[in-house]
Amino acid sequence: MMRTRPLKVALLGCGVVGSEVARIMTTHADDLAQRIGAPVELAGVAVRRPSKVREGIDPALVTTDATALVKRGDIDVVVEVIGGIEPARSLITAAFEHGASVVSANKALLAQDGAALHAAAEEHGRDLYYEAAVAGAIPLIRPLRESLAGDKVNRVLGIVNGTTNFILDKMDSTGAGYQEALDEATALGYAEADPTADVEGFDAAAKAAILAGIAFHTRARLDDVYREGMTEVTAADFRSAKEMGCTIKLLAICERSKDGASVTARVHPAMIPLTHPLASVRGAYNAVFVESDAAGQLMFYGPGAGGAPTASAVLGDLVAVCRNRLNGATGPGESAYAALPVSPMGEVVTRYHISLDVADKPGVLAQVATVFAEHGVSIDTVRQQGKDGEASLVVVTHRASDASLSGTVEALRKLDTVRGVASIMRVEGE
Amino acid sequence: MMRTRPLKVALLGCGVVGSEVARIMTTHADDLAQRIGAPVELAGVAVRRPSKVREGIDPALVTTDATALVKRGDIDVVVEVIGGIEPARSLITAAFEHGASVVSANKALLAQDGAALHAAAEEHGRDLYYEAAVAGAIPLIRPLRESLAGDKVNRVLGIVNGTTNFILDKMDSTGAGYQEALDEATALGYAEADPTADVEGFDAAAKAAILAGIAFHTRARLDDVYREGMTEVTAADFRSAKEMGCTIKLLAICERSKDGASVTARVHPAMIPLTHPLASVRGAYNAVFVESDAAGQLMFYGPGAGGAPTASAVLGDLVAVCRNRLNGATGPGESAYAALPVSPMGEVVTRYHISLDVADKPGVLAQVATVFAEHGVSIDTVRQQGKDGEASLVVVTHRASDASLSGTVEALRKLDTVRGVASIMRVEGE
């Protein structure tokens, strides 16, 4: 049964992703109509530079007035691929007020104002879908909020930023330093001119907030996510990792506490064993591990960015939202009923790899070990290397809270025999 | 907003999966109610042996009359985890006729009669969901039919049977023969007493039929799937694979033809490069690669069987189906509009690894190469090994149709200098 009157789509933004969305809507129009049960029509495209030639898009559809477009009243679905907080937030809110459902790829906005946007969608009985906001083409939001809806997710652990994975992979495989690897990523178009959002972990942290919210049925915002970038990871860190049979990845980690009463969300570089499936995720690919009570360990892998992959996720949402509209229904909205508190980083429990520069004389190891013991941090292995009166101590701990580890490190720095703390890195994925 | 009147669920079958479904429905009742928007109540459990004690299930709910249960008229969702064709088919049909939606884990039935069951669901305006039928807990059906609904899938390539993957992994890692590895799988509970459905590829073929249907929006049945089991894979095949930098997996492969006008579906053992992500799928795990126009390469990985993982998939469907019911809507039904023909195995194009026992005398290679050339099969590499008047020739071909390869092999067998064809194996994943 096919409805002949088309559903009208307004596209906000026509860059790398938006132009792919428009292209696929045109070239695959028949398939989309069959899968939705009605044709979809591109009713308007809001851009900043209307003079730019956009192949395959009727110039009559192009406008610079995004606000007027979303307020037209005849728009069924607004696709927002502008990014950033404003004007995206106002446009999405206006879209709901004027009867449209929304498909967005905007991780920053969802991580900051997801609750308010979901509330606006619900108030107006409309859908807000955003599969493309996390891990590009990889189906992750839908599996978490629908496939695992009858399960209890305990942990989400993933590589959700392709730029930093490209850089770290390059450092791992060539021994290059951070700057050299970043330069190559920039030259190849994997890193932006200003790479801050990627390398400082802001992008991954936004995704972690979204994932924690959905996985734990709890509100989590960007501010709730502990964040450490990967600009201080060195070639020496990779050598240390190799000695441990590990590599280094920038991980987003969302965990339910052991007693189930709270959750944590964090982004930081970490060592993971080479035997862990995430260790072999190469280049700009993304992959996310999900651990749940009944399903066990699942992994989702694919391209985490790029115009076409992101457009694939946007269009999957578009089909779902259009189908919901024809059904007079809505899909799952925000689910925050569990309302678990998000604990601070100090309560996170994990393992640590610590490199210390110490004086090469008897009794240093005993002193250092005492400090660990006093802070309740149990040592797994220690390796000593000495030369010319200087020595290094590499300590790998058992599981301990981040607060205990911080206390330990602070005390270590005060020891006369400790010249410096060369590096501290968390060890995950065991 | 929570509805207080519960949705009523009838459970058909209470074995490994069914008992887990019942357990989670009880222990996670509050979470399920929150996620659905209404409580769900186990209204009846149909079993064959009512006298068996079932922990946590009210004996008053247990019945041997499954037909009466599905016909009660007050059942909202029937969960079918009996398996097999009958009585499951009649019960599901009766469920639709009496107003229930259905969640099933029954791959054999879906692969044989999916079209008729979908038609019955649609006729009565009800849902038929079956995530658990393919690759256990791994979200695969939903990503294919919803997340990728705006994309064009070209290929699905996966390990979808845990028993055979356990056996092949064991053969690979220990050098064991098939029987020895099967015995271990049986002892550990990974293989059933009668392992035919697994080792002869029937189970994987049913899953391939379901995947091809959904991926290509086309009807595909078990009969459309070419099937070769893995009982004839030998330790020598693994040695050959290793020499090529490969391992051997039982793969389910669904492909769209290059011109897009037809599809193929097949299950057989194949060599794949060790660098392919599927090569490192160990033990009884499953993993499925999906290749599409826009998204590129995606992989889904997880436990492919087991009571709890399968129950996770069943319960995800249960939540979705219950939500649809509260919405007065249905999810995506069968999508077979593309109606592409399923081509026979002869039209499949891939690469081949062929071991020949030949006479050790001059001119044999020239003879053999001529036969390949006459059948239009281009040779990539040849390796000759001779001893005591006997020799072996290992030929790896470029891409060729299965029909051309069959013709080549038939002609080779007729050569006086060819003593025998020791093995033929397809090479995939490049």
Side-chain angles (χ1 to χ4, degrees):
Chain A
M1 248 175 345
M2 175 75 81
R3 192 180 88 160
T4 51
R5 188 166 59 78
L7 289 154
K8 293 190 176 177
V9 175
L11 180 60
L12 310 184
C14 199
V16 177
V17 176
S19 58
E20 270 297 306
V21 170
R23 188 188 64 75
I24 297 173
M25 280 185 67
T26 309
T27 55
H28 290 52
D30 291 347
D31 279 321
L32 291 171
Q34 290 286 351
R35 296 173 192 183
I36 291 166
V40 275
E41 176 188 301
L42 196 56
V45 183
V47 301
R48 271 185 307 186
R49 289 174 296 156
S51 57
K52 190 176 159 193
V53 177
R54 292 177 173 83
E55 206 185 331
I57 295 177
D58 180 355
L61 297 178
V62 175
T63 174
T64 53
D65 192 346
T67 307
L69 178 57
V70 301
K71 290 186 175 177
R72 260 170 51 169
D74 66 335
I75 301 297
D76 294 287
V77 185
V78 168
V79 173
E80 183 270 308
V81 286
I82 306 173
I85 304 302
E86 282 295 350
R89 176 170 50 195
S90 303
L91 292 168
I92 290 175
T93 309
F96 290 134
E97 284 165 359
H98 291 80
S101 284
V102 173
V103 175
S104 171
N106 194 328
K107 57 204 157 260
L109 179 57
L110 265 305
Q112 182 172 314
D113 284 316
L117 295 177
H118 274 295
E122 189 168 356
E123 181 191 342
H124 297 283
R126 294 295 179 253
D127 274 326
L128 172 60
Y129 275 48
Y130 44 91
E131 182 68 75
V134 181
I138 309 174
L140 197 57
I141 305 281
R142 185 174 277 103
L144 278 173
R145 78 178 182 175
E146 300 184 41
S147 305
L148 291 167
D151 205 336
K152 187 180 167 197
V153 175
N154 295 313
R155 197 159 190 242
V156 178
L157 173 82
I159 295 165
V160 296
N161 181 277
T163 303
T164 49
N165 199 59
F166 180 91
I167 295 170
L168 291 169
D169 186 22
K170 189 57 65 179
M171 291 174 72
D172 185 43
S173 58
T174 66
Y178 165 70
Q179 189 59 48
E180 189 186 335
L182 171 63
D183 290 345
E184 182 170 348
T186 310
L188 293 172
Y190 286 114
E192 294 185 45
D194 176 0
T196 310
D198 293 316
V199 300
E200 294 296 354
F202 291 100
D203 173 87
K207 293 164 179 170
I210 296 171
L211 290 174
I214 294 173
F216 304 132
H217 300 272
T218 273
R219 256 176 214 160
R221 291 165 44 104
L222 182 57
D223 297 346
D224 297 318
V225 182
Y226 173 83
R227 181 191 52 75
E228 244 177 63
M230 44 69 73
T231 58
E232 289 173 23
V233 176
T234 63
D237 290 329
F238 272 100
R239 286 193 296 273
S240 300
K242 273 187 188 153
E243 280 167 16
M244 282 190 62
C246 287
T247 185
I248 299 170
K249 296 289 188 188
L250 184 72
L251 297 179
I253 306 174
C254 311
E255 286 174 316
R256 191 188 290 275
S257 64
K258 242 184 180 167
D259 65 2
S262 64
V263 300
T264 53
R266 52 193 165 116
V267 167
H268 55 70
M271 294 185 183
I272 55 166
L274 293 172
T275 51
H276 194 285
L278 289 180
S280 54
V281 175
R282 300 270 167 237
Y285 271 81
N286 283 194
V288 178
F289 244 71
V290 177
E291 295 176 15
S292 72
D293 267 3
Q297 293 196 318
L298 303 172
M299 188 173 80
F300 304 81
Y301 167 96
T310 308
S312 171
V314 166
L315 285 159
D317 279 354
L318 180 65
V319 169
V321 166
C322 286
R323 282 185 42 85
N324 289 343
R325 252 186 119 85
L326 293 180
N327 271 328
T330 53
E334 186 189 31
S335 175
Y337 71 89
L340 298 170
V342 185
S343 301
M345 188 61 189
E347 293 181 24
V348 164
V349 172
T350 187
R351 297 178 64 208
Y352 307 86
H353 177 284
I354 303 127
S355 294
L356 303 172
D357 296 326
V358 296
D360 189 10
K361 56 184 185 187
V364 173
L365 176 54
Q367 265 191 325
V368 166
T370 303
V371 170
F372 276 88
E374 281 169 357
H375 290 81
V377 179
S378 168
I379 292 176
D380 182 14
T381 61
V382 183
R383 208 175 56 245
Q384 283 198 83
Q385 278 174 328
K387 58 166 201 273
D388 310 330
E390 290 282 319
S392 72
L393 264 187
V394 174
V395 178
V396 180
T397 74
H398 286 297
R399 286 168 62 79
S401 76
D402 217 81
S404 306
L405 195 277
S406 297
T408 308
V409 170
E410 208 176 310
L412 287 172
R413 287 190 206 276
K414 289 180 185 154
L415 290 182
D416 288 343
T417 48
V418 172
R419 306 270 160 81
V421 180
S423 84
I424 305 168
M425 196 162 299
R426 296 175 186 87
V427 183
E428 305 285 343
E430 286 171 323
Chain B
M1 247 175 349
M2 176 75 80
R3 193 179 86 159
T4 51
R5 188 165 60 78
L7 289 154
K8 293 191 176 178
V9 175
L11 180 60
L12 310 184
C14 200
V16 178
V17 176
S19 58
E20 270 298 307
V21 170
R23 189 188 64 77
I24 298 173
M25 281 185 68
T26 308
T27 56
H28 290 52
D30 291 347
D31 280 320
L32 291 172
Q34 290 286 352
R35 297 173 192 183
I36 291 166
V40 275
E41 175 189 301
L42 196 55
V45 183
V47 301
R48 272 185 306 184
R49 289 174 295 155
S51 56
K52 190 176 159 190
V53 177
R54 292 176 172 85
E55 204 184 333
I57 294 177
D58 180 355
L61 297 179
V62 174
T63 173
T64 53
D65 192 347
T67 306
L69 179 58
V70 300
K71 289 186 175 177
R72 259 169 54 170
D74 65 336
I75 301 296
D76 294 288
V77 185
V78 168
V79 173
E80 182 272 307
V81 287
I82 306 173
I85 305 301
E86 283 295 351
R89 176 170 51 194
S90 302
L91 292 169
I92 290 175
T93 308
F96 291 135
E97 284 164 1
H98 290 80
S101 284
V102 173
V103 174
S104 171
N106 194 329
K107 57 203 158 262
L109 179 57
L110 265 305
Q112 181 173 312
D113 283 316
L117 295 176
H118 275 294
E122 189 168 356
E123 181 191 341
H124 297 284
R126 293 296 179 253
D127 275 324
L128 171 61
Y129 275 48
Y130 44 90
E131 183 67 77
V134 181
I138 309 174
L140 197 57
I141 305 280
R142 185 176 275 103
L144 278 173
R145 78 178 183 175
E146 301 185 41
S147 306
L148 291 167
D151 205 336
K152 186 180 169 196
V153 175
N154 295 313
R155 198 158 190 242
V156 178
L157 172 82
I159 296 165
V160 295
N161 181 277
T163 303
T164 49
N165 200 59
F166 180 90
I167 295 170
L168 291 168
D169 186 21
K170 189 56 65 179
M171 291 174 72
D172 185 44
S173 59
T174 65
Y178 164 70
Q179 190 59 48
E180 189 186 335
L182 171 62
D183 289 346
E184 183 170 349
T186 310
L188 292 172
Y190 286 115
E192 294 185 46
D194 176 1
T196 310
D198 294 317
V199 300
E200 294 296 353
F202 290 100
D203 174 87
K207 293 164 178 172
I210 295 171
L211 290 173
I214 294 174
F216 304 132
H217 299 272
T218 273
R219 257 175 214 161
R221 290 165 44 104
L222 182 57
D223 297 346
D224 296 319
V225 181
Y226 173 83
R227 181 191 52 75
E228 245 176 64
M230 45 68 74
T231 58
E232 290 174 23
V233 176
T234 63
D237 289 329
F238 272 100
R239 287 194 295 273
S240 299
K242 275 189 187 152
E243 281 168 14
M244 282 189 63
C246 287
T247 185
I248 298 170
K249 296 289 187 187
L250 184 72
L251 298 178
I253 305 173
C254 311
E255 285 175 316
R256 192 188 290 275
S257 64
K258 240 181 182 167
D259 66 1
S262 64
V263 299
T264 52
R266 52 191 166 117
V267 167
H268 54 71
M271 294 186 183
I272 56 166
L274 292 172
T275 51
H276 194 286
L278 289 179
S280 53
V281 176
R282 299 270 166 238
Y285 271 81
N286 282 193
V288 178
F289 244 73
V290 177
E291 295 176 15
S292 72
D293 267 3
Q297 292 196 319
L298 302 172
M299 189 173 80
F300 304 82
Y301 167 96
T310 308
S312 170
V314 166
L315 284 160
D317 279 354
L318 180 66
V319 170
V321 166
C322 287
R323 282 186 41 85
N324 289 344
R325 254 185 118 85
L326 293 180
N327 270 327
T330 53
E334 186 189 31
S335 176
Y337 71 89
L340 298 170
V342 185
S343 301
M345 187 62 189
E347 293 182 24
V348 164
V349 173
T350 188
R351 297 177 64 209
Y352 306 86
H353 177 284
I354 303 128
S355 294
L356 303 172
D357 295 325
V358 297
D360 189 11
K361 57 185 185 186
V364 174
L365 176 55
Q367 264 191 326
V368 165
T370 303
V371 170
F372 276 89
E374 281 169 358
H375 290 82
V377 179
S378 170
I379 291 176
D380 182 15
T381 61
V382 183
R383 207 175 58 244
Q384 283 197 82
Q385 279 175 327
K387 59 165 201 272
D388 309 331
E390 290 283 320
S392 73
L393 264 187
V394 175
V395 179
V396 181
T397 73
H398 285 296
R399 285 167 63 78
S401 75
D402 218 81
S404 305
L405 195 278
S406 298
T408 306
V409 170
E410 207 175 311
L412 286 172
R413 288 191 205 274
K414 288 181 186 155
L415 289 182
D416 287 344
T417 49
V418 172
R419 306 271 160 81
V421 179
S423 84
I424 305 168
M425 197 164 296
R426 297 175 186 88
V427 183
E428 305 286 343
E430 286 172 321

